[in-house]
Amino acid sequence: MGKYIFLSGMSKVYIVEIIILLAVVILIGIICNKKKISKKIPKKNSNVLGRTGAALIEVEKQKGFRPLPIIILLVGILIIALQYAFEKPQISGDIKINVGSQIDDSNLKIMYHNKNIFNSVIGISQIDTNIIGEYYFNIDVPYGKNRKITKRIKVIVTDTEAPIIALDYKNGDKVSYTKDLTVEGYTITDNYDKDIESKAKVSIKQKNEKIVVVSYYVQDSSGNIAQESVELEIIDDVKPDLVLNGDANVTIDLHGKYEELGAIAKDEKDGDLTEKIKIDGIVDTNIVGEYVIKYTVSDSSGNSTQITRIINVVDSKGVIFLTFDDGPSANITPKILDILKRKGVKATFFIVNYNDNTEYLVKRIVSEGHSIGIHGYSHDYSKIYVSEDVFMENIETLKNKIKNTTGVNTKLMRFPGGSSNTVSKKYCQGIMTNLTKRVNNEGYRYYDWNVSSEDAGGAYTSTAVYNNVVNYLSKERINVVLMHDATDKVWTLNALENIIDYGLSHGYKFSNITEDTPLVHHRINN
Ligand code: ZN
């Protein structure tokens, strides 16, 4: 058995060496033999020698001692034996680890006497197998009889796994026209690269009129490539966008004029479809009532959108809308409310900021059925008309406060100084032109007036206030009357009852402004 163990420990190198050694020895042996023979038998005398000559040659052959091949053989055996005896373990292969996975040392061999003496690597746990790279560490390799050698082991942590592209769609799926397949419809994950999706290349090719081929390609940081593609049918199931020009709720005075402002239609695929909008419905401004206008548009794929506009034809001719600005005041407002209550008349209060002492009046205004509107948290022209944003904040702050106090989310408002004011020019050129549009766009309905009591300038007696109002009332139109209930407006308070009596005795109706009340606007001067 020992023989076999020895032979099995003979690596190919030794066997090759032994074969070469034997070949060399045999070759040298043959060469030496030939030299002897040619010396003893001269060619010229060969036929004279006869039998005795032949015998002589035999003797020479038998007696011939050739030391060189034997020496070579012995020296060769010695060298190979020493080589064998002093052989050291040899490392072949590295440890290769796929990033993030278990250590795989099957590739590593430590060969000694034609045997792999490697069994396990201690200390490899120091390596972070989650990070790609080349690592080295030393191990002690025991071999032979109590011998030991330190070897340097190379550990390669690599990523051999390609990213995974998961598609949301399969071949033949129908996809909406708006889907942007370059940014959605797939997810990519990679075992190593965190930000792999940003490396994706998505290309879309039109195969025919309906079908597109979407191809996805991605390469991770280690060069592993993943590719996927899918054939999709693109369908247009997106409705056109339809937006009204002007308000969705319009109030028109009886016998007034309805102006059709139309709408704008846009489609994802077909583009501008405004020309194709169908408008259905009629508005008879000679009959009080609610009218509905329908706007319909269809795109080339048959998707259609419909929106409506409601038109209220109201009879506000001969109606008086009393409005009180700049309140509430602790002394005037309660008395005005008392008169209105006694007379059964509803009015509208465009208020400014109020405090704890006057908060109950805001609640009272609402609870007694009057309308509440926004005049402004602050009334200071120099502060509120400096910019559009500042103005909007000024009305929104009060709007929110009113909502907290009363629960009413009012959309009614009146600009301090009216929309025709020129004082705002001092603080911001053109601000009224922009603000009147902006408050409209943000859903407010602002009211100016067409009858002014002049109680804030010029009329300082109740008679003057009374005359200014009653002289300008008209039964042929809506009457929005400007008055004030600020602290000093005693003359307004004293004129109020007479104004109401005049109106009632002359066939006028009184009402409070609502969102259906036709708008009364001044000409913009800034
Ligand atoms: Zn005011």
Side-chain angles (χ1 to χ4, degrees):
M1 285 300 285
K3 259 189 192 172
Y4 292 111
I5 289 164
F6 177 76
L7 280 174
S8 69
M10 298 281 277
S11 64
K12 280 175 189 170
V13 179
Y14 296 118
I15 294 163
V16 170
E17 281 177 3
I18 289 165
I19 291 166
I20 292 169
L21 177 66
L22 292 172
V24 168
V25 168
I26 291 164
L27 193 68
I28 288 170
I30 291 167
I31 292 166
C32 290
N33 212 22
K34 273 195 175 169
K35 277 184 179 170
K36 286 259 175 189
I37 291 164
S38 57
K39 267 184 187 172
K40 294 294 170 189
I41 311 160
K43 279 180 181 174
K44 283 175 185 175
N45 307 329
S46 58
N47 52 349
V48 189
L49 287 169
R51 285 183 78 179
T52 42
L56 185 72
I57 290 163
E58 282 291 320
V59 170
E60 285 297 330
K61 265 188 184 175
Q62 280 170 6
K63 282 187 177 171
F65 174 70
R66 326 217 209 293
L68 189 59
I70 291 161
I71 290 164
I72 289 170
L73 182 68
L74 291 173
V75 169
I77 288 167
L78 185 68
I79 289 168
I80 290 167
L82 287 171
Q83 213 182 323
Y84 183 84
F86 290 99
E87 188 190 303
K88 283 176 180 171
Q90 295 298 319
I91 286 182
S92 68
D94 305 309
I95 294 179
K96 279 184 185 162
I97 299 169
N98 195 26
V99 66
S101 65
Q102 293 290 314
I103 290 162
D104 176 16
D105 56 17
S106 64
N107 227 32
L108 181 78
K109 285 177 179 168
I110 298 174
M111 299 306 291
Y112 179 66
H113 288 177
N114 206 28
K115 263 190 175 171
N116 183 13
I117 59 165
F118 171 73
N119 39 37
S120 72
V121 175
I122 299 153
I124 203 161
S125 58
Q126 299 160 1
I127 290 165
D128 185 354
T129 59
N130 291 311
I131 297 170
I132 286 173
E134 288 186 1
Y135 302 86
Y136 297 90
F137 68 103
N138 295 328
I139 58 164
D140 290 333
V141 182
Y143 67 103
K145 279 187 180 174
N146 302 326
R147 276 192 281 179
K148 205 164 80 175
I149 189 167
T150 300
K151 284 282 180 188
R152 200 166 184 235
I153 306 279
K154 184 180 180 184
V155 179
I156 303 164
V157 179
T158 57
D159 176 22
T160 56
E161 277 180 44
I164 296 165
I165 303 174
L167 300 183
D168 296 350
Y169 305 107
K170 57 185 189 299
N171 283 331
D173 276 359
K174 290 176 168 70
V175 173
S176 180
Y177 183 82
T178 48
K179 287 274 180 201
D180 188 353
L181 297 163
T182 60
V183 297
E184 57 180 301
Y186 66 97
T187 46
I188 302 177
T189 48
D190 186 63
N191 59 323
Y192 189 70
D193 293 3
K194 277 177 186 164
D195 181 29
I196 187 80
E197 295 217 5
S198 66
K199 293 176 185 170
K201 286 171 190 167
V202 183
S203 63
I204 300 172
K205 276 182 188 166
Q206 199 84 28
K207 191 180 176 188
N208 56 44
E209 208 180 307
K210 281 184 169 180
I211 308 290
V212 293
V213 181
V214 191
S215 302
Y216 305 86
Y217 171 97
V218 71
Q219 187 175 22
D220 70 14
S221 59
S222 300
N224 302 300
I225 291 168
Q227 293 184 78
E228 289 287 348
S229 71
V230 66
E231 282 190 15
L232 301 172
E233 187 182 333
I234 302 294
I235 50 163
D236 177 13
D237 59 355
V238 181
K239 291 180 177 182
D241 246 352
L242 192 50
V243 180
L244 287 175
N245 290 322
D247 293 338
N249 287 290
V250 175
T251 307
I252 303 170
D253 231 337
L254 188 67
H255 308 305
K257 199 181 156 195
Y258 172 63
E259 194 192 346
E260 179 53 64
L261 294 174
I264 292 169
K266 278 178 190 162
D267 186 61
E268 190 100 19
K269 194 181 176 193
D270 298 347
D272 191 351
L273 291 175
T274 302
E275 300 267 297
K276 296 192 171 176
I277 299 171
K278 281 183 190 167
I279 305 175
D280 295 312
I282 44 155
V283 178
D284 186 349
T285 58
N286 292 316
I287 300 170
V288 169
E290 191 183 271
Y291 299 86
V292 178
I293 306 280
K294 288 179 181 171
Y295 303 79
T296 315
V297 71
S298 298
D299 67 13
S300 60
S301 306
N303 304 298
S304 70
T305 306
Q306 189 178 73
I307 53 172
T308 56
R309 192 195 315 265
I310 293 165
I311 291 99
N312 269 298
V313 176
V314 296
D315 184 7
S316 48
K317 271 186 184 167
V319 178
I320 298 170
F321 293 90
L322 297 176
T323 67
F324 298 93
D325 290 8
D326 300 356
S329 63
N331 58 333
I332 301 294
T333 308
K335 288 171 185 167
I336 284 178
L337 286 169
D338 290 345
I339 294 169
L340 294 170
K341 197 174 183 181
R342 199 166 63 243
K343 294 286 173 186
V345 165
K346 304 297 178 204
T348 305
F349 293 81
F350 290 105
I351 65 167
V352 293
N353 185 30
Y354 48 90
N355 56 37
D356 290 349
N357 295 328
T358 50
E359 191 188 78
Y360 83 99
L361 290 167
V362 177
K363 288 179 177 166
R364 198 182 149 189
I365 287 168
V366 172
S367 69
E368 292 183 4
H370 305 291
S371 291
I372 198 146
I374 303 152
H375 202 33
Y377 190 82
S378 163
H379 197 290
D380 188 340
Y381 299 133
S382 68
K383 283 178 183 154
I384 64 172
Y385 285 130
V386 289
S387 79
E388 282 179 52
D389 288 344
V390 166
F391 181 85
M392 293 310 293
E393 201 189 319
N394 188 55
I395 60 170
E396 276 154 23
T397 308
L398 184 62
K399 178 193 168 89
N400 293 334
K401 187 167 177 179
I402 292 169
K403 198 183 173 190
N404 283 337
T405 305
T406 65
V408 175
N409 190 20
T410 186
K411 290 177 180 174
L412 309 174
M413 68 154 289
R414 174 172 284 160
F415 289 101
S419 67
S420 55
N421 82 75
T422 50
V423 68
S424 57
K425 246 183 219 176
K426 256 200 271 183
Y427 312 108
C428 186
Q429 275 285 339
I431 192 169
M432 296 315 298
T433 305
N434 296 332
L435 278 179
T436 47
K437 287 177 193 158
R438 183 157 167 189
V439 295
N440 253 344
N441 291 339
E442 299 195 13
Y444 293 99
R445 287 174 70 80
Y446 76 89
Y447 287 83
D448 290 311
W449 57 89
N450 55 13
V451 178
S452 175
S453 68
E454 298 295 328
D455 64 348
Y460 300 120
T461 63
S462 58
T463 311
V465 170
Y466 174 84
N467 285 333
N468 283 333
V469 175
V470 301
N471 289 341
Y472 285 93
L473 291 175
S474 167
K475 279 196 186 150
E476 297 311 308
R477 56 158 164 79
I478 183 174
N479 297 277
V480 177
V481 181
L482 172 70
M483 293 190 280
H484 295 81
D485 59 334
T487 309
D488 61 334
K489 298 296 185 284
V490 184
W491 43 88
T492 306
L493 173 66
N494 291 338
L496 181 61
E497 192 157 352
N498 290 337
I499 290 169
I500 293 170
D501 286 344
Y502 174 92
L504 293 174
S505 63
H506 286 80
Y508 288 95
K509 288 180 214 163
F510 285 88
S511 188
N512 54 314
I513 291 173
T514 68
E515 286 174 31
D516 285 334
T517 304
L519 295 165
V520 172
H521 284 174
H522 289 168
R523 198 168 59 98
I524 311 296
N525 295 314
N526 176 24

